[in-house]
Amino acid sequence: MKTIKICIVPVLLMMLSTTAYALSLGKSWKIVSPDKKTTVFVGTSNYTFLYWRIEHNDVPVLERSCINILIDGDIDVFKKGGLGKATNNRQVRTQFATPFYKKAVVKDEYNALTISFKNGIGVEFRVYNDGAAYRFLIDRKGKSVVTSETAEFYFSDDYPAFIPYVNDNRGGERYCYSFESYYDEQPLSKMFKDSLAITPFAVCLPGGMKAIVMDAGVEDYPGMFLKSHGKNGLKAEFAPYPLEQEVGGFDRLNLVPSKRADYIAKLDGSRALPWRAVVITEKDADILNCDMAQRLAPECRIKDTSWIHPGKVAWDWWNNTNVTGVDFKSGMNTDTYLYYIDFAAKNNIEYIIIDEGWSGKESLMEDLSPEIDLKRLIAHGQEKGVGIILWSSWRNLIGNNPVGDTSITNAVMKHYADMGVKGFKVDFFDRDDQQAIASAYKIAACAAGHHLLLDYHGLKPFGIQRAYPNILNFEGVKGLENSKWEPRVGNGPMHDQPRYDVSAPYLRMLAGPMDYTPGAMMNAMKDNFFGNNDHPMSQGTRVHQMAMYTTFEAPLQMMADSPTMYMRNQECTDFIAQIPTTFDESIALDGQLGEYAVVARRKGTTWYLAAMTDWTPRDLTIDLGFLNEGQYQADIFADGVNAMKDATDYKHLQKTVGQGDILQVHLSSGGGWTAILRTAK
């Protein structure tokens, strides 16, 4: 009954006017962004909750939305603390270095307000030029539990939204999911009432504005799901704390909770909880260069990061180790991976991955494949300057125990680091409850101690990537792997992958890097695409795939196709191999969520440009006014004139360009365009 009361009160009080509410029921405050465009209104209530409301240029972004937390089952947590008082009203104008990101430095500029209550609970609000966020601050001694947290996001009308629903649950468990979702484009009122959605979640406001709901800085606390609530509203839902779990899910690779508690998190002493944020943009292109996730993340905890080396990876799984023209049988064996190492070395690719199958089903130290001589491969890689990254399931790496000590994790990592392995791709987390999140931090800290890189799958980024930048990538994206099993419906594929490709950079990538695994050399239009596990292809053109290497943030970036396919298309391979995986500067040039994206990124004095579109052909102009003075030699790949018939068709050209030049770019259906601009000698 207590929980029901908390849920109902905010809906009833929304009918009251802001002025009357603030005067009769509590206190109110106002925080304005540095550019004075965004205003956050905050109020307290004797009815035991806090609210916030957001306006941008006097346009409503969020209507009054409830903020509350229940600790140890206490529904009057704010009321018992008395009316809040502002204790820390401040302006922050600073910046910090981000060497493993799409820019070298991030500006961190905001105005902030902290409201404190006598019961040891506070709420910190920050207002940036491109959004606003809040988090709970807990100042209490001893242990307690968070029974529930209320985070609501109400909008003033039934706006269209890009909704990433949860589906394909592992073992049928509601909160066990890979965090990979296509976007259902629906008005808020049409959201499925019984379904959860993941974040980031975009709401399309009038005049082209977007409000994107997300969480950030998550640590030792569950991630945030969203569900439909009230009229035009969203409400957070959090995975309850696991009490029991069992091996199951996909191919028994998951650790699936079988019993959960009636609370969501355990607390011990003072700490800050995760951020609840709303990114606000006037034009979609600005989303492509938003740093909200970086700003709200924990600071870096690795003192010496000189051993962390981003780069590209020759990957075996997507292409099913299909190499031809050789005198050995390709597959999960030593000869195949020697070949991959030689290919990587020849093409200046920093790493290879040995994916699932090298180790036993239940152990990373026993029942290893006799077909793979790991010591020989490591030695050959060291000779060629190519590092080896190993696949692992999450549950095997932690010994099926996410809450225990890290002795198994440490033993595994020490063993393989001593052998010369460079990192692990940790797969099938498929959870973000408090235990899974805490485990992700423990693994990252342990890996850092052994100078190992990490790639997390079955998770989306949530702030840990700044705290532990040895985590170079995350999956949590409907990437190229989905083309292997994509069904045909009528005259084409079931899912519109090119539209997703120009949606994910605005939404999924807002949370952090994504292991989309691009680079298909077999490319198809709608009429001739079909899913094929052994000989997969991509939707859209060849240059659409090539443009992903500049568009998609991925400090550890895969080359998903086989060495054979890349050598057959050496001209494209040479271009891809030159593109860095981290950058010094990024500029969002143009774009529309779900339609197209145009970005420019700089590394040193060289610029890397890319444009991608959905199935709609487009003619775009790219203004090179961002260049320094002087001449640049442009190496350009564009869709060929026949790309709409044969998606592998492209045009490769060179031209000299300079500051202020305007490039006319044509994108074919499902197409792309990409260029490298070097200062002319």
Side-chain angles (χ1 to χ4, degrees):
M1 294 302 293
K2 292 181 177 181
T3 302
I4 294 174
K5 179 179 178 182
I6 287 295
C7 294
I8 293 174
V9 169
V11 178
L12 296 175
L13 290 177
M14 282 181 64
M15 298 182 292
L16 299 173
S17 71
T18 303
T19 302
Y21 179 81
L23 290 176
S24 63
L25 298 180
K27 293 183 178 180
S28 62
W29 298 268
K30 181 171 73 173
I31 319 116
V32 181
S33 61
D35 65 2
K36 306 280 194 282
K37 289 185 176 182
T38 300
T39 303
V40 171
F41 301 90
V42 181
T44 62
S45 165
N46 289 339
Y47 286 101
T48 74
F49 74 94
L50 197 67
Y51 75 85
W52 71 330
R53 181 170 63 87
I54 306 175
E55 292 181 358
H56 182 81
N57 285 336
D58 299 323
V59 175
V61 175
L62 272 193
E63 296 294 340
R64 190 181 296 122
S65 300
C66 177
I67 298 169
N68 203 356
I69 190 166
L70 279 67
I71 295 180
D72 295 332
D74 186 353
I75 69 164
D76 297 322
V77 67
F78 286 123
K79 185 176 180 180
K80 288 185 177 180
L83 296 179
K85 64 178 182 177
T87 60
N88 191 355
N89 196 340
R90 66 196 188 283
Q91 298 180 350
V92 175
R93 308 289 185 267
T94 188
Q95 62 184 27
F96 54 87
T98 51
F100 308 104
Y101 187 48
K102 60 191 176 187
K103 58 188 68 170
V105 175
V106 166
K107 291 183 178 179
D108 195 18
E109 300 180 348
Y110 58 90
N111 294 333
L113 173 74
T114 299
I115 302 172
S116 297
F117 297 82
K118 295 177 182 178
N119 54 18
I121 294 178
V123 186
E124 178 185 1
F125 293 87
R126 292 184 186 177
V127 187
Y128 295 86
N129 290 342
D130 57 359
Y134 75 84
R135 65 177 174 179
F136 285 105
L137 304 174
I138 308 299
D139 184 14
R140 289 182 151 203
K141 295 181 180 179
K143 299 181 184 297
S144 57
V145 299
V146 178
T147 307
S148 67
E149 180 188 338
T150 301
E152 296 177 346
F153 307 89
Y154 281 101
F155 298 90
S156 60
D157 208 341
D158 186 18
Y159 296 127
F162 281 68
I163 306 171
Y165 285 112
V166 171
N167 52 57
D168 190 26
N169 298 80
R170 304 302 191 191
E173 211 274 340
R174 179 172 174 83
Y175 306 101
C176 208
Y177 178 56
S178 67
F179 304 93
E180 301 174 18
S181 301
Y182 289 110
Y183 296 102
D184 282 40
E185 297 174 42
Q186 300 173 302
L188 291 167
S189 64
K190 300 298 183 182
M191 278 189 70
F192 304 127
K193 304 300 182 184
D194 60 348
S195 297
L196 296 176
I198 59 175
T199 64
F201 181 117
V203 178
C204 306
L205 303 177
M209 289 175 54
K210 298 292 188 297
I212 305 175
V213 179
M214 61 186 290
D215 56 352
V218 184
E219 181 173 6
D220 195 25
Y221 199 85
M224 182 174 72
F225 294 97
L226 294 171
K227 61 183 179 181
S228 177
H229 186 66
K231 185 178 180 181
N232 309 325
L234 304 170
K235 185 175 184 178
E237 185 169 324
F238 303 91
Y241 189 86
L243 296 176
E244 297 175 6
Q245 41 215 328
E246 58 190 24
V247 176
F250 177 76
D251 199 24
R252 289 178 51 83
L253 288 169
N254 293 111
L255 196 59
V256 181
S258 55
K259 182 179 180 181
R260 292 186 181 269
D262 58 358
Y263 53 86
I264 63 173
K266 296 179 178 180
L267 303 181
D268 189 359
S270 300
R271 54 168 297 186
L273 301 190
W275 293 96
R276 315 298 170 215
V278 179
V279 170
I280 304 164
T281 57
E282 297 179 10
K283 60 180 191 295
D284 287 4
D286 291 340
I287 306 170
L288 296 170
N289 205 20
C290 178
D291 301 316
M292 188 66 79
Q294 280 282 327
R295 299 185 204 120
L296 298 178
E299 294 183 0
C300 181
R301 295 174 185 174
I302 302 176
K303 292 182 178 180
D304 175 18
T305 60
S306 61
W307 57 272
I308 300 175
H309 299 293
K312 293 193 185 67
V313 185
W315 186 36
D316 56 351
W317 181 87
W318 190 80
N319 58 76
N320 201 29
T321 60
N322 278 325
V323 296
T324 59
V326 296
D327 58 2
F328 59 85
K329 186 175 181 180
S330 67
M332 296 287 294
N333 58 55
T334 301
D335 286 338
T336 298
Y337 290 110
L338 289 172
Y339 189 81
Y340 271 77
I341 290 170
D342 289 343
F343 162 75
K346 183 179 178 180
N347 291 277
N348 298 313
I349 299 167
E350 291 85 351
Y351 303 98
I352 71 161
I353 276 185
I354 302 177
D355 214 284
E356 181 186 5
W358 70 272
S359 65
K361 277 286 187 180
E362 299 299 325
S363 173
L364 299 174
M365 305 282 275
E366 300 175 356
D367 300 322
L368 306 186
S369 171
E371 300 297 320
I372 295 176
D373 187 341
L374 194 55
K375 289 183 178 179
R376 183 182 173 192
L377 292 173
I378 293 169
H380 189 63
Q382 290 171 340
E383 179 184 345
K384 295 287 187 174
V386 176
I388 292 178
I389 295 172
L390 299 176
W391 178 93
S392 166
S393 69
W394 172 53
R395 73 173 185 85
N396 277 351
L397 189 58
I398 62 173
N400 293 343
N401 186 9
V403 295
D405 61 39
T406 58
S407 58
I408 292 177
T409 305
N410 186 66
V412 169
M413 289 188 168
K414 183 181 187 308
H415 174 75
Y416 288 106
D418 288 347
M419 286 181 65
V421 167
K422 297 300 182 182
F424 282 91
K425 170 183 169 182
V426 187
D427 206 349
F428 291 94
F429 277 87
D430 295 347
R431 289 165 47 183
D432 72 344
D433 50 50
Q434 186 182 24
Q435 287 184 5
I437 295 294
S439 177
Y441 275 86
K442 290 178 182 179
I443 292 170
C446 186
H450 295 289
H451 288 192
L452 291 172
L453 306 177
L454 293 170
D455 178 7
Y456 280 173
H457 278 218
L459 276 180
K460 62 181 177 64
F462 45 85
I464 189 176
Q465 64 271 26
R466 183 180 167 199
Y468 290 99
N470 57 319
I471 310 175
L472 289 176
N473 215 344
F474 296 77
E475 196 182 29
V477 62
K478 282 290 186 183
L480 195 63
E481 67 173 0
N482 291 273
S483 67
K484 288 167 72 76
W485 48 76
E486 176 69 18
R488 287 185 66 85
V489 176
N491 295 322
M494 175 182 289
H495 296 104
D496 186 341
Q497 194 70 32
R499 185 167 180 83
Y500 179 82
D501 295 345
V502 290
S503 299
Y506 295 89
L507 299 180
R508 162 59 185 81
M509 206 166 77
L510 184 61
M514 57 185 195
D515 199 5
Y516 183 99
T517 67
M521 294 289 109
M522 181 66 74
N523 320 105
M525 291 289 108
K526 288 181 181 180
D527 60 347
N528 54 22
F529 173 88
F530 63 94
N532 187 310
N533 184 73
D534 293 337
H535 299 280
M537 63 186 71
S538 69
Q539 294 184 41
T541 70
R542 167 72 57 78
V543 186
H544 184 87
Q545 287 287 308
M546 295 174 68
M548 292 176 177
Y549 285 89
T550 294
T551 303
F552 293 167
E553 180 192 347
L556 189 68
Q557 180 63 282
M558 303 288 169
M559 294 180 66
D561 222 323
S562 72
T564 298
M565 292 299 291
Y566 286 125
M567 288 187 290
R568 286 178 185 170
N569 298 276
Q570 193 64 48
E571 187 176 48
C572 299
T573 304
D574 289 344
F575 183 90
I576 291 170
Q578 297 176 65
I579 301 173
T581 63
T582 60
F583 298 88
D584 297 325
E585 181 181 0
S586 290
I587 300 174
L589 297 175
D590 194 8
Q592 189 71 38
L593 170 58
E595 297 183 16
Y596 67 101
V598 188
V599 299
R601 307 196 194 279
R602 179 182 59 81
K603 187 77 167 184
T605 60
T606 302
W607 283 93
Y608 303 83
L609 279 64
M612 297 170 60
T613 184
D614 58 1
W615 285 121
T616 303
R618 298 183 194 277
D619 291 297
L620 303 173
T621 59
I622 297 179
D623 186 340
L624 299 180
F626 58 86
L627 295 176
N628 290 331
E629 292 183 1
Q631 297 295 300
Y632 289 77
Q633 188 64 33
D635 186 14
I636 300 171
F637 279 76
D639 293 325
V641 67
N642 293 307
M644 291 185 69
K645 296 169 61 178
D646 181 348
T648 65
D649 187 34
Y650 67 86
K651 180 169 54 178
H652 185 195
L653 63 152
Q654 311 277 337
K655 67 185 300 184
T656 301
V657 299
Q659 184 187 64
D661 285 351
I662 304 293
L663 298 180
Q664 303 296 327
V665 173
H666 175 72
L667 304 179
S668 181
S669 174
W673 179 95
T674 186
I676 300 175
L677 277 58
R678 293 186 173 87
T679 53
K681 296 181 179 179

